[in-house]
Amino acid sequence: MAEQVAHSLKGTIGTLGLLLKNNQNLPQNVEAEIRSSIAKMINISARILDLKKSESRQLLATNDEKFDPVIVISSVMTQKQGLFPEVRFVFSRKNEFEDLVFGPRVDFETMVSDLIDNGIEAISNKGLIEISIESTESSIHIVIADNGVGIAPEVLPCLMQEGVTLKAKGNGLGLFHAKKTIDAMTGKIEIESKKDIGTKIKIRVPKIENESIEILAGQRIILLDDDEHIHQTWDRILAPHRKKILLVHLRSKYEFEDWISKNGS
C-alpha cells in the first residue's frame, strides 16, 4: 500500500513538472506555489517509503540511524535546483571529512528541505541560498543562509515555538519540527537575521567518527541495501580505495541472488 501511494505521488509530481515546463507564462506566484507543492510531495513520498522500510525491518520507533549529512543535504539541494532554476544555490564544505551523524535521517532531510523552502520564500524565488558544512573536533556545523527580507528582531525570540509563523497561511510547524529534530540529535539550532539583509540558520550536531576499516588490495566488497543514501555514503568512505578493490552495489535480494548465481559465493 505504501509503495502504491508513493508511486501515485511520483506520477503526480511528474505531471506537475511537465505542466510547469510546458506553461512558461504562468504568474510568478502561481509557479512558486506549484514548485513548493512539488517539493512537499517529494518529501511526503520519501517519508512514506521510509516508514514502510522501517516497518519491514522492524526498526525501533525512533528510526535513528547513522548517516552522512553531506549526502542528505546534497540530495535535497539537487531537488531544489530542479524546482527553482532562478535561485542560485551554493553548497560548500569548509573542510574534507567522512564523519557521520546519528539521528532520524528522514526528519533531518525534511528539516533541511523546509528550511531551504523558507529561504526561497524570503528571497521571492530569486536570490541566493547558501549552505556550508564543516567538521570540528566533536561536532558537525551547518549554516543555511539566504539574502532575503530578513526577520524583525522582536519576532526572533518567538520562532521555533509550536504555532508561531511569519506566513499568512503557515501553521508554525516547520521551525518547530526543525528544533525537535535537532533536539533529538542532542544538537543545537539558532536563527540569526537582519532586516533586508538575510537570515542564517545555524545548526550544530554531534558527530560520529567512522570506524577504521582494513582494506586489502584485490578485496571484493558487496553492498546490499535498498537505500540509495547508504550506497552514496559507502562510495564516499571507500573512494580512496576504489583503485585496489571491487565494490559491488546491489539493491534487492533478487539482484543478490542473481549476482551469486553468476559469480559464486
Coordinates of all heavy atoms in Angstrom, one line a residue, residues 27-105:
P27 N 1.7 33.1 -13.9 CA 2.0 34.2 -13.0 C 3.1 33.6 -12.0 O 3.1 32.5 -11.6 CB 0.7 34.5 -12.3 CG -0.3 34.0 -13.2 CD 0.2 32.8 -14.0
Q28 N 4.0 34.5 -11.6 CA 5.1 34.1 -10.8 C 4.6 33.4 -9.5 O 5.2 32.4 -9.0 CB 6.0 35.3 -10.4 CG 7.3 34.9 -9.7 CD 8.2 36.1 -9.5 OE1 7.8 37.2 -9.9 NE2 9.3 35.9 -8.9
N29 N 3.6 34.0 -8.8 CA 3.1 33.5 -7.6 C 2.5 32.1 -7.8 O 2.6 31.2 -6.9 CB 2.1 34.4 -6.9 CG 0.8 34.6 -7.8 OD1 0.9 34.6 -9.0 ND2 -0.3 34.7 -7.1
V30 N 1.8 31.8 -8.9 CA 1.3 30.5 -9.2 C 2.4 29.5 -9.4 O 2.3 28.4 -8.9 CB 0.3 30.6 -10.4 CG1 -0.1 29.2 -10.8 CG2 -0.8 31.5 -10.2
E31 N 3.4 29.9 -10.2 CA 4.5 29.0 -10.4 C 5.2 28.6 -9.1 O 5.6 27.5 -8.9 CB 5.5 29.6 -11.4 CG 6.7 28.7 -11.7 CD 7.6 29.4 -12.7 OE1 7.3 30.4 -13.3 OE2 8.8 28.9 -12.8
A32 N 5.4 29.6 -8.3 CA 6.1 29.4 -7.0 C 5.3 28.4 -6.1 O 5.9 27.6 -5.5 CB 6.3 30.7 -6.3
E33 N 4.0 28.6 -6.1 CA 3.1 27.7 -5.3 C 3.2 26.3 -5.8 O 3.2 25.3 -5.0 CB 1.7 28.2 -5.4 CG 0.7 27.5 -4.4 CD 1.1 27.7 -3.0 OE1 1.6 28.8 -2.6 OE2 0.8 26.8 -2.2
I34 N 3.2 26.1 -7.1 CA 3.3 24.8 -7.7 C 4.6 24.1 -7.4 O 4.7 23.0 -7.0 CB 3.1 24.8 -9.2 CG1 1.7 25.2 -9.6 CG2 3.4 23.4 -9.9 CD1 1.4 25.4 -11.1
R35 N 5.7 24.9 -7.5 CA 7.0 24.4 -7.1 C 7.1 24.0 -5.7 O 7.7 22.9 -5.3 CB 8.1 25.4 -7.5 CG 8.3 25.6 -9.0 CD 9.5 26.5 -9.3 NE 9.6 26.8 -10.7 CZ 10.1 26.0 -11.6 NH1 10.5 24.8 -11.3 NH2 10.1 26.3 -12.9
S36 N 6.6 24.8 -4.8 CA 6.5 24.5 -3.4 C 5.8 23.2 -3.1 O 6.2 22.4 -2.3 CB 6.0 25.7 -2.6 OG 5.9 25.4 -1.2
S37 N 4.6 23.1 -3.8 CA 3.8 21.9 -3.6 C 4.5 20.6 -4.1 O 4.5 19.5 -3.5 CB 2.5 22.0 -4.4 OG 1.7 23.1 -3.9
I38 N 5.3 20.7 -5.2 CA 6.0 19.6 -5.7 C 7.1 19.2 -4.7 O 7.3 18.0 -4.4 CB 6.7 19.9 -7.0 CG1 5.7 20.1 -8.1 CG2 7.7 18.9 -7.4 CD1 6.2 20.6 -9.5
A39 N 7.8 20.2 -4.1 CA 8.8 19.9 -3.1 C 8.2 19.2 -1.9 O 8.8 18.2 -1.3 CB 9.5 21.2 -2.6
K40 N 7.0 19.6 -1.4 CA 6.4 19.0 -0.3 C 6.0 17.5 -0.6 O 6.1 16.6 0.2 CB 5.1 19.8 0.1 CG 5.5 21.1 0.8 CD 4.2 21.8 1.3 CE 4.6 23.0 2.1 NZ 5.2 24.1 1.4
M41 N 5.5 17.3 -1.8 CA 5.1 15.9 -2.2 C 6.3 15.0 -2.3 O 6.2 13.8 -1.9 CB 4.3 15.9 -3.5 CG 2.9 16.4 -3.4 SD 1.9 16.1 -4.9 CE 2.6 17.4 -5.9
I42 N 7.4 15.5 -2.7 CA 8.6 14.7 -2.8 C 9.0 14.3 -1.4 O 9.4 13.1 -1.1 CB 9.8 15.5 -3.4 CG1 9.6 15.7 -4.9 CG2 11.1 14.8 -3.2 CD1 10.5 16.6 -5.6
N43 N 8.9 15.2 -0.4 CA 9.3 14.9 1.0 C 8.3 13.9 1.6 O 8.7 12.9 2.3 CB 9.3 16.1 1.8 CG 10.5 17.0 1.5 OD1 11.5 16.5 1.2 ND2 10.3 18.3 1.6
I44 N 7.0 14.1 1.3 CA 6.0 13.1 1.8 C 6.2 11.7 1.2 O 6.1 10.7 2.0 CB 4.5 13.6 1.4 CG1 4.2 14.9 2.2 CG2 3.5 12.6 1.7 CD1 3.0 15.6 1.7
S45 N 6.5 11.6 0.0 CA 6.8 10.3 -0.7 C 7.9 9.7 0.0 O 7.9 8.5 0.3 CB 7.0 10.5 -2.2 OG 7.3 9.3 -2.8
A46 N 9.0 10.4 0.3 CA 10.2 9.9 0.9 C 9.9 9.4 2.3 O 10.3 8.3 2.7 CB 11.3 10.9 1.0
R47 N 9.0 10.1 3.0 CA 8.7 9.7 4.4 C 7.8 8.4 4.4 O 8.0 7.6 5.2 CB 7.9 10.9 5.1 CG 8.8 12.0 5.4 CD 7.9 13.2 6.0 NE 7.5 12.8 7.3 CZ 8.1 13.1 8.4 NH1 9.3 13.7 8.4 NH2 7.7 12.8 9.6
I48 N 6.9 8.3 3.4 CA 6.1 7.1 3.3 C 6.9 5.9 3.1 O 6.8 4.9 3.7 CB 5.0 7.3 2.2 CG1 4.0 8.3 2.6 CG2 4.4 5.9 1.9 CD1 3.0 8.7 1.4
L49 N 7.9 6.0 2.1 CA 8.7 4.9 1.8 C 9.6 4.5 3.0 O 9.9 3.3 3.3 CB 9.6 5.2 0.6 CG 8.8 5.2 -0.7 CD1 9.7 5.6 -1.9 CD2 8.1 3.9 -1.0
D50 N 10.1 5.5 3.7 CA 11.0 5.2 4.9 C 10.2 4.6 6.0 O 10.7 3.7 6.7 CB 11.7 6.5 5.4 CG 13.0 6.7 4.7 OD1 13.0 7.2 3.6 OD2 14.0 6.3 5.3
L51 N 8.9 5.0 6.1 CA 8.1 4.4 7.2 C 7.8 2.9 6.8 O 7.9 2.0 7.7 CB 6.7 5.1 7.2 CG 5.7 4.6 8.2 CD1 6.2 4.6 9.6 CD2 4.4 5.3 8.1
K52 N 7.5 2.6 5.6 CA 7.3 1.3 5.1 C 8.6 0.4 5.3 O 8.6 -0.7 5.8 CB 6.9 1.2 3.6 CG 6.8 -0.2 3.1 CD 5.7 -0.9 3.7 CE 5.5 -2.3 3.1 NZ 4.5 -3.1 3.7
K53 N 9.7 1.0 5.0 CA 11.0 0.4 5.2 C 11.3 0.0 6.7 O 11.7 -1.1 7.0 CB 12.1 1.2 4.7 CG 13.5 0.6 4.6 CD 14.5 1.6 4.2 CE 14.2 2.2 2.9 NZ 15.1 3.2 2.5
S54 N 11.0 1.0 7.5 CA 11.2 0.8 9.0 C 10.3 -0.3 9.5 O 10.7 -1.1 10.4 CB 11.0 2.1 9.7 OG 9.6 2.4 9.7
E55 N 9.0 -0.4 9.0 CA 8.1 -1.5 9.4 C 8.6 -2.8 9.0 O 8.6 -3.8 9.7 CB 6.7 -1.2 8.8 CG 6.0 0.0 9.4 CD 4.7 0.3 8.7 OE1 4.5 -0.3 7.6 OE2 4.0 1.1 9.2
S56 N 9.1 -2.9 7.7 CA 9.6 -4.2 7.2 C 10.8 -4.7 7.9 O 11.1 -5.9 8.0 CB 9.8 -4.1 5.7 OG 10.8 -3.2 5.4
R57 N 11.6 -3.8 8.4 CA 12.9 -4.1 9.0 C 12.7 -4.2 10.5 O 13.6 -4.6 11.3 CB 14.0 -3.1 8.7 CG 14.4 -3.1 7.3 CD 15.4 -2.0 7.1 NE 15.9 -2.0 5.7 CZ 16.8 -1.1 5.3 NH1 17.2 -0.1 6.1 NH2 17.2 -1.1 4.0
Q58 N 11.5 -3.8 11.0 CA 11.2 -3.9 12.5 C 12.2 -3.0 13.2 O 12.8 -3.5 14.3 CB 11.2 -5.3 13.0 CG 10.0 -6.1 12.4 CD 10.0 -7.5 12.9 OE1 11.0 -8.1 13.4 NE2 8.8 -8.1 12.9
L59 N 12.4 -1.8 12.8 CA 13.4 -1.0 13.4 C 12.7 -0.4 14.7 O 11.5 -0.4 14.8 CB 13.8 0.2 12.5 CG 14.6 -0.2 11.3 CD1 14.9 1.0 10.4 CD2 15.9 -0.9 11.7
L60 N 13.5 0.3 15.6 CA 12.9 0.9 16.7 C 12.0 2.1 16.3 O 12.2 2.7 15.2 CB 14.1 1.5 17.6 CG 15.0 0.4 18.2 CD1 16.1 1.1 19.0 CD2 14.2 -0.4 19.2
A61 N 11.1 2.5 17.1 CA 10.1 3.5 16.8 C 10.8 4.8 16.4 O 10.3 5.6 15.6 CB 9.2 3.7 17.9
T62 N 12.0 5.1 17.0 CA 12.7 6.4 16.8 C 13.3 6.4 15.4 O 13.5 7.5 14.8 CB 13.8 6.6 17.8 OG1 14.7 5.4 17.8 CG2 13.2 6.7 19.2
N63 N 13.6 5.2 14.8 CA 14.1 5.1 13.5 C 15.4 5.9 13.4 O 15.7 6.5 12.3 CB 13.1 5.6 12.4 CG 13.4 5.0 11.0 OD1 14.1 4.0 10.9 ND2 13.0 5.7 10.0
D64 N 16.2 6.0 14.4 CA 17.5 6.6 14.4 C 18.5 5.8 13.6 O 18.5 4.5 13.7 CB 18.0 6.9 15.8 CG 17.2 8.0 16.5 OD1 16.5 8.8 15.8 OD2 17.3 8.1 17.7
E65 N 19.5 6.4 13.0 CA 20.5 5.7 12.2 C 21.7 6.6 12.0 O 21.6 7.8 12.1 CB 19.9 5.3 10.9 CG 19.4 6.4 10.0 CD 18.7 5.9 8.8 OE1 19.4 5.4 7.9 OE2 17.5 6.1 8.7
K66 N 22.8 6.0 11.7 CA 24.0 6.8 11.3 C 23.8 7.2 9.8 O 23.3 6.4 9.0 CB 25.2 5.9 11.3 CG 25.6 5.5 12.7 CD 26.9 4.6 12.7 CE 27.3 4.1 14.0 NZ 28.5 3.3 14.0
F67 N 24.1 8.4 9.5 CA 24.0 8.9 8.1 C 25.0 10.0 7.8 O 25.5 10.6 8.8 CB 22.6 9.3 7.8 CG 22.1 10.5 8.5 CD1 22.2 11.8 8.0 CD2 21.4 10.4 9.7 CE1 21.8 12.9 8.7 CE2 20.9 11.5 10.4 CZ 21.1 12.7 9.9
D68 N 25.2 10.2 6.6 CA 26.2 11.2 6.1 C 25.4 12.5 5.8 O 24.6 12.6 4.8 CB 26.9 10.7 4.8 CG 28.0 11.6 4.4 OD1 27.9 12.9 4.7 OD2 28.9 11.2 3.7
P69 N 25.6 13.6 6.6 CA 24.8 14.8 6.3 C 25.1 15.5 5.0 O 24.3 16.1 4.4 CB 25.2 15.7 7.5 CG 26.5 15.2 8.0 CD 26.5 13.7 7.7
V70 N 26.3 15.3 4.5 CA 26.7 15.9 3.2 C 25.9 15.3 2.1 O 25.3 16.0 1.3 CB 28.2 15.6 2.9 CG1 28.6 16.1 1.5 CG2 29.1 16.4 3.9
I71 N 25.7 14.0 2.1 CA 24.9 13.4 1.1 C 23.4 13.8 1.2 O 22.8 14.0 0.2 CB 25.0 11.8 1.2 CG1 26.4 11.4 0.7 CG2 24.0 11.1 0.3 CD1 26.8 10.0 0.8
V72 N 22.9 13.8 2.4 CA 21.5 14.2 2.6 C 21.2 15.6 2.1 O 20.3 15.9 1.3 CB 21.1 14.1 4.0 CG1 19.7 14.7 4.3 CG2 21.1 12.6 4.5
I73 N 22.1 16.6 2.5 CA 22.0 18.0 2.1 C 22.1 18.1 0.5 O 21.4 18.8 -0.1 CB 23.0 18.9 2.8 CG1 22.6 18.9 4.3 CG2 23.0 20.3 2.2 CD1 23.7 19.5 5.2
S74 N 23.1 17.4 0.0 CA 23.4 17.5 -1.5 C 22.1 17.0 -2.2 O 21.7 17.6 -3.3 CB 24.6 16.6 -1.9 OG 25.8 17.1 -1.3
S75 N 21.5 15.9 -1.7 CA 20.3 15.3 -2.4 C 19.2 16.3 -2.4 O 18.5 16.5 -3.4 CB 19.9 14.0 -1.7 OG 18.7 13.5 -2.2
V76 N 19.0 17.0 -1.2 CA 17.9 18.0 -1.1 C 18.1 19.2 -2.1 O 17.2 19.6 -2.8 CB 17.7 18.4 0.3 CG1 16.7 19.6 0.4 CG2 17.3 17.3 1.2
M77 N 19.4 19.6 -2.1 CA 19.7 20.8 -2.9 C 19.5 20.5 -4.4 O 19.1 21.3 -5.2 CB 21.1 21.3 -2.6 CG 21.2 22.0 -1.3 SD 22.7 23.0 -1.1 CE 22.3 24.4 -2.1
T78 N 19.9 19.3 -4.8 CA 19.7 18.9 -6.2 C 18.2 18.9 -6.6 O 17.9 19.4 -7.7 CB 20.2 17.4 -6.4 OG1 21.6 17.4 -6.1 CG2 20.0 17.0 -7.9
Q79 N 17.3 18.5 -5.7 CA 15.9 18.5 -5.9 C 15.5 20.0 -6.1 O 14.7 20.3 -7.0 CB 15.1 17.9 -4.8 CG 15.3 16.4 -4.7 CD 14.6 15.9 -3.4 OE1 13.9 16.6 -2.7 NE2 14.7 14.6 -3.2
K80 N 15.9 20.8 -5.2 CA 15.5 22.2 -5.2 C 16.0 23.0 -6.4 O 15.3 23.8 -7.0 CB 16.0 23.0 -3.9 CG 15.6 22.4 -2.6 CD 14.1 22.4 -2.5 CE 13.6 21.8 -1.1 NZ 12.2 21.7 -1.0
Q81 N 17.2 22.6 -6.9 CA 17.8 23.3 -8.1 C 16.9 23.0 -9.3 O 16.7 23.8 -10.1 CB 19.2 22.8 -8.3 CG 20.2 23.4 -7.4 CD 21.6 22.7 -7.5 OE1 21.7 21.6 -7.8 NE2 22.6 23.5 -7.2
G82 N 16.3 21.8 -9.3 CA 15.4 21.4 -10.5 C 14.1 22.1 -10.4 O 13.5 22.5 -11.4
L83 N 13.7 22.4 -9.1 CA 12.4 23.0 -8.9 C 12.4 24.5 -9.0 O 11.4 25.2 -9.4 CB 11.8 22.6 -7.6 CG 11.4 21.1 -7.4 CD1 11.1 20.8 -6.0 CD2 10.3 20.8 -8.3
F84 N 13.5 25.1 -8.7 CA 13.7 26.6 -8.6 C 14.9 27.1 -9.4 O 15.9 27.4 -8.8 CB 13.7 27.1 -7.2 CG 12.6 26.7 -6.3 CD1 12.6 25.5 -5.5 CD2 11.4 27.4 -6.3 CE1 11.5 25.1 -4.7 CE2 10.3 27.0 -5.6 CZ 10.4 25.9 -4.8
P85 N 14.8 27.0 -10.7 CA 16.0 27.3 -11.5 C 16.5 28.8 -11.4 O 17.7 29.0 -11.8 CB 15.5 27.0 -13.0 CG 14.0 27.1 -12.9 CD 13.7 26.6 -11.5
E86 N 15.6 29.7 -11.0 CA 16.1 31.1 -10.9 C 16.8 31.4 -9.6 O 17.3 32.5 -9.4 CB 14.9 32.0 -11.0 CG 14.2 31.9 -12.4 CD 13.1 32.9 -12.6 OE1 12.7 33.5 -11.6 OE2 12.7 33.1 -13.8
V87 N 16.8 30.4 -8.7 CA 17.5 30.6 -7.4 C 18.9 30.1 -7.5 O 19.2 29.1 -8.1 CB 16.8 29.8 -6.3 CG1 17.6 29.9 -5.0 CG2 15.4 30.4 -6.0
R88 N 19.9 30.9 -7.0 CA 21.3 30.4 -7.0 C 21.5 29.6 -5.7 O 21.4 30.2 -4.6 CB 22.2 31.6 -7.1 CG 23.7 31.2 -7.2 CD 24.6 32.4 -7.2 NE 26.0 32.1 -7.1 CZ 26.9 32.7 -6.4 NH1 26.5 33.9 -5.8 NH2 28.1 32.3 -6.3
F89 N 21.9 28.4 -5.9 CA 22.2 27.5 -4.7 C 23.7 27.3 -4.7 O 24.4 27.0 -5.6 CB 21.5 26.2 -4.9 CG 20.0 26.2 -4.8 CD1 19.3 26.3 -6.0 CD2 19.4 26.1 -3.6 CE1 17.9 26.4 -5.9 CE2 18.0 26.2 -3.5 CZ 17.2 26.3 -4.7
V90 N 24.3 27.4 -3.5 CA 25.7 27.2 -3.2 C 25.8 26.3 -2.0 O 25.3 26.6 -0.9 CB 26.4 28.5 -3.0 CG1 27.9 28.2 -2.6 CG2 26.3 29.5 -4.1
F91 N 26.6 25.2 -2.2 CA 26.8 24.3 -1.1 C 28.3 24.1 -1.0 O 29.0 23.7 -1.9 CB 26.2 22.9 -1.4 CG 26.4 21.9 -0.3 CD1 26.4 22.3 1.0 CD2 26.4 20.6 -0.6 CE1 26.6 21.4 2.1 CE2 26.6 19.6 0.4 CZ 26.7 20.0 1.8
S92 N 28.9 24.5 0.2 CA 30.3 24.4 0.3 C 30.7 23.6 1.6 O 30.0 23.7 2.6 CB 30.9 25.8 0.5 OG 30.3 26.5 1.6
R93 N 31.8 22.9 1.4 CA 32.4 22.1 2.6 C 33.6 22.9 3.0 O 34.6 23.0 2.2 CB 32.6 20.7 2.2 CG 31.4 19.9 1.9 CD 31.7 18.6 1.2 NE 32.5 17.8 2.1 CZ 33.0 16.6 1.8 NH1 32.7 16.0 0.6 NH2 33.7 15.9 2.6
K94 N 33.7 23.3 4.2 CA 34.8 24.1 4.7 C 36.1 23.2 5.0 O 37.2 23.7 5.1 CB 34.4 24.9 5.9 CG 33.4 26.0 5.6 CD 33.2 26.9 6.7 CE 32.3 28.1 6.3 NZ 32.1 29.0 7.4
N95 N 35.8 21.9 5.1 CA 37.0 21.0 5.3 C 36.5 19.6 4.8 O 35.3 19.3 4.8 CB 37.5 21.0 6.7 CG 36.4 20.7 7.7 OD1 35.3 20.5 7.4 ND2 36.8 20.7 9.0
E96 N 37.4 18.8 4.4 CA 37.1 17.4 4.0 C 37.0 16.5 5.2 O 37.8 16.5 6.1 CB 38.2 16.9 3.1 CG 38.3 17.6 1.7 CD 37.1 17.3 0.9 OE1 36.5 16.2 1.0 OE2 36.6 18.3 0.2
F97 N 35.9 15.8 5.2 CA 35.7 14.8 6.4 C 34.8 13.7 5.9 O 34.0 13.8 4.9 CB 35.1 15.5 7.6 CG 33.7 16.2 7.3 CD1 32.6 15.4 7.6 CD2 33.6 17.4 6.8 CE1 31.3 16.0 7.3 CE2 32.3 18.0 6.6 CZ 31.2 17.3 6.9
E98 N 34.8 12.6 6.6 CA 33.9 11.5 6.4 C 33.1 11.1 7.6 O 32.6 10.0 7.7 CB 34.8 10.3 5.9 CG 35.6 10.5 4.7 CD 36.4 9.3 4.3 OE1 36.5 8.3 5.1 OE2 37.0 9.3 3.2
D99 N 33.0 12.0 8.5 CA 32.2 11.8 9.8 C 30.7 11.7 9.5 O 30.2 12.3 8.6 CB 32.5 12.9 10.8 CG 34.0 13.1 11.1 OD1 34.6 12.0 11.4 OD2 34.5 14.2 11.0
L100 N 30.1 10.9 10.3 CA 28.6 10.7 10.2 C 28.0 11.3 11.4 O 28.6 11.8 12.4 CB 28.3 9.2 10.2 CG 29.0 8.4 9.1 CD1 28.6 6.9 9.2 CD2 28.7 8.9 7.7
V101 N 26.7 11.4 11.3 CA 25.9 11.9 12.5 C 24.8 10.8 12.8 O 24.6 9.9 12.0 CB 25.2 13.2 12.2 CG1 26.2 14.3 12.1 CG2 24.2 13.2 11.0
F102 N 24.2 10.9 14.0 CA 23.2 9.9 14.4 C 21.9 10.5 14.7 O 21.9 11.5 15.5 CB 23.8 9.1 15.6 CG 22.9 8.0 16.0 CD1 22.8 6.8 15.3 CD2 22.0 8.1 17.1 CE1 22.0 5.7 15.7 CE2 21.2 7.1 17.5 CZ 21.2 5.9 16.8
G103 N 20.8 10.0 14.2 CA 19.5 10.6 14.5 C 18.5 10.1 13.4 O 18.8 9.3 12.6
P104 N 17.3 10.8 13.4 CA 16.3 10.4 12.5 C 16.6 11.0 11.1 O 16.3 12.2 10.9 CB 15.0 11.0 13.1 CG 15.5 12.2 13.9 CD 16.9 11.8 14.4
R105 N 17.1 10.3 10.2 CA 17.6 10.8 8.9 C 16.5 11.4 8.1 O 16.6 12.5 7.5 CB 18.3 9.7 8.1 CG 18.7 10.2 6.7 CD 19.4 9.1 5.9 NE 18.4 8.1 5.5 CZ 17.5 8.2 4.6 NH1 17.4 9.3 3.9 NH2 16.7 7.2 4.3

